[in-house]
Amino acid sequence: MDPFSAEGELLNIHNAFQQGQYQTVIDFDTSSLSIENKIPARVLQLRAQVASGHAKQVLTDVKKEGERPDFAAVRAFAQYSAGNTLAAVTEVEKLVEAQSENTSVQLLGGTVLQAAGKTEEALSLLSKHQGSLEAIALIVQIHLQQNRTDLALKEVQAARKWAQDSLLVNIAESWVGLRVGGERYQQAFYVFEEMAQAPSSSATKSLVSQAVAELHLGRIPEAEAALQQAVQKDTEDVEAIANSIVLNVISGKDFSEQKSSLESIAPEHPFLTDLQEKSSLFDQAATKYSAKVAS
């Protein structure tokens, strides 16, 4: 039986992780889990620590877990999250050669490879999965980054046939919906709003997702309210800060404070690197033109 299925004993901890309830995952009591599920549960807890900003602590903790490929994959993921990209990619590539059938290697290795710009290698590794919904969700994310909405939609539709009631499929389908647009915006909003506003599942991650859906629907005040809730939960959540910048730009408000905050917390955040790249391209284009002086 799939431990992540509706009948599986890892369902609750896995759903909590996907909803962004990282402290719930870290505190999850794993004492009653079967032996075969203790390792994937521990991997989720270590990943939750990394997601909470404690990658360096995970690098220390994972030394106690032995040399199983699952924990080697966690170590590589933590290295990347701590800023040591070269070491992380090197370790992942070694793991792929020896343990490419391991689910943790696929998920965390694929994440590191994609983040390092090795898209084809990431997709090749993730494609080896055996019914992993999380691997499918990562493949969907990669296709969306490639602007291949058609391929992302194909992955979601295939997964929907055998995992109809899965939370992760609903989330992945909502990602695609935000790219497709139209009535899909509202459908995505319903999924994220349900997670964000339910006391049992609310987290900064779901609140930010709700805010993004609200923005796509043109509901600026509602998006602002959701982002304010997210920031109240975690003042250093980088996705909440980045999307607050976007909100202020759309609203015509000053965003210098949020930009400074993001630069301080996560100077290599994709939003900032993309902004710098676009600024440089603009400056290069501007040099081709010179103001005409009237005689």
Side-chain angles (χ1 to χ4, degrees):
M1 181 179 66
D2 179 1
F4 298 118
S5 70
E7 298 80 20
E9 61 180 356
L10 294 181
L11 176 66
N12 290 336
I13 188 174
H14 190 257
N15 280 354
F17 182 84
Q18 297 304 332
Q19 291 165 340
Q21 296 176 295
Y22 300 125
Q23 193 58 49
T24 299
V25 175
I26 293 168
D27 295 337
F28 194 88
D29 182 7
T30 62
S31 61
S32 63
L33 295 179
S34 58
I35 294 176
E36 63 268 24
N37 285 331
K38 285 185 180 294
I39 289 176
R42 181 58 181 153
V43 168
L44 281 174
Q45 290 179 319
L46 292 168
R47 290 173 63 189
Q49 284 185 260
V50 173
S52 299
H54 304 300
K56 292 182 179 179
Q57 181 60 47
V58 169
L59 287 172
T60 299
D61 293 346
V62 79
K63 294 177 182 178
K64 308 170 188 175
E65 304 293 347
E67 291 300 319
R68 293 184 65 96
D70 302 83
F71 297 118
V74 170
R75 181 170 61 243
F77 179 58
Q79 285 176 323
Y80 177 81
S81 300
N84 197 344
T85 303
L86 181 59
V89 172
T90 300
E91 180 146 17
V92 165
E93 289 174 342
K94 291 179 180 178
L95 282 169
V96 170
E97 289 182 9
Q99 301 286 346
S100 63
E101 301 303 317
N102 179 277
T103 300
S104 295
V105 172
Q106 292 168 0
L107 297 177
L108 300 178
T111 300
V112 170
L113 290 171
Q114 172 61 15
K118 297 177 176 289
T119 298
E120 294 308 316
E121 292 93 330
L123 286 172
S124 175
L125 177 59
L126 289 165
S127 69
K128 298 178 184 293
H129 77 87
Q130 298 294 317
S132 168
L133 287 175
E134 194 169 359
I136 292 171
L138 284 172
I139 292 170
V140 169
Q141 286 187 341
I142 292 172
H143 286 325
L144 290 175
Q145 290 178 23
Q146 294 176 309
N147 289 318
R148 290 301 307 270
T149 307
D150 56 324
L151 296 179
L153 182 60
K154 183 179 178 180
E155 289 287 340
V156 170
Q157 289 174 336
R160 177 65 72 189
K161 293 179 180 178
W162 57 272
Q164 185 171 354
D165 297 324
S166 166
L167 171 66
L168 195 50
V169 172
N170 287 339
I171 293 173
E173 190 172 51
S174 298
W175 296 335
V176 176
L178 290 176
R179 185 65 62 85
V180 171
E183 64 181 18
R184 295 291 188 92
Y185 286 151
Q186 190 67 42
Q187 293 171 2
F189 165 75
Y190 287 141
V191 171
F192 294 133
E193 191 260 353
E194 181 178 1
M195 288 193 298
Q197 300 307 320
S200 62
S201 59
S202 182
T204 54
K205 184 176 181 179
S206 55
L207 284 163
V208 170
S209 298
Q210 178 190 338
V212 171
E214 300 274 25
L215 281 173
H216 280 294
L217 289 164
R219 301 198 290 242
I220 305 300
E222 290 85 351
E224 184 174 13
L227 285 173
Q228 286 175 348
Q229 283 184 268
V231 172
Q232 286 171 2
K233 282 181 175 288
D234 184 356
T235 57
E236 295 191 352
D237 186 272
V238 293
E239 300 308 323
I241 297 170
N243 281 282
S244 294
I245 295 173
V246 174
L247 174 69
N248 282 1
V249 170
I250 293 172
S251 304
K253 297 179 180 178
D254 179 68
F255 58 87
S256 56
E257 181 180 347
Q258 289 88 349
K259 184 170 179 286
S260 296
S261 178
L262 188 59
E263 289 171 338
S264 174
I265 298 169
E268 299 301 318
H269 189 277
F271 179 88
L272 294 175
T273 56
D274 186 58
L275 185 64
Q276 181 59 46
E277 180 184 353
K278 297 297 189 295
S279 179
S280 298
L281 289 173
F282 179 83
D283 290 342
Q284 291 174 21
T287 62
K288 298 179 182 179
Y289 303 91
S290 59
K292 294 183 177 180
V293 179
S295 58

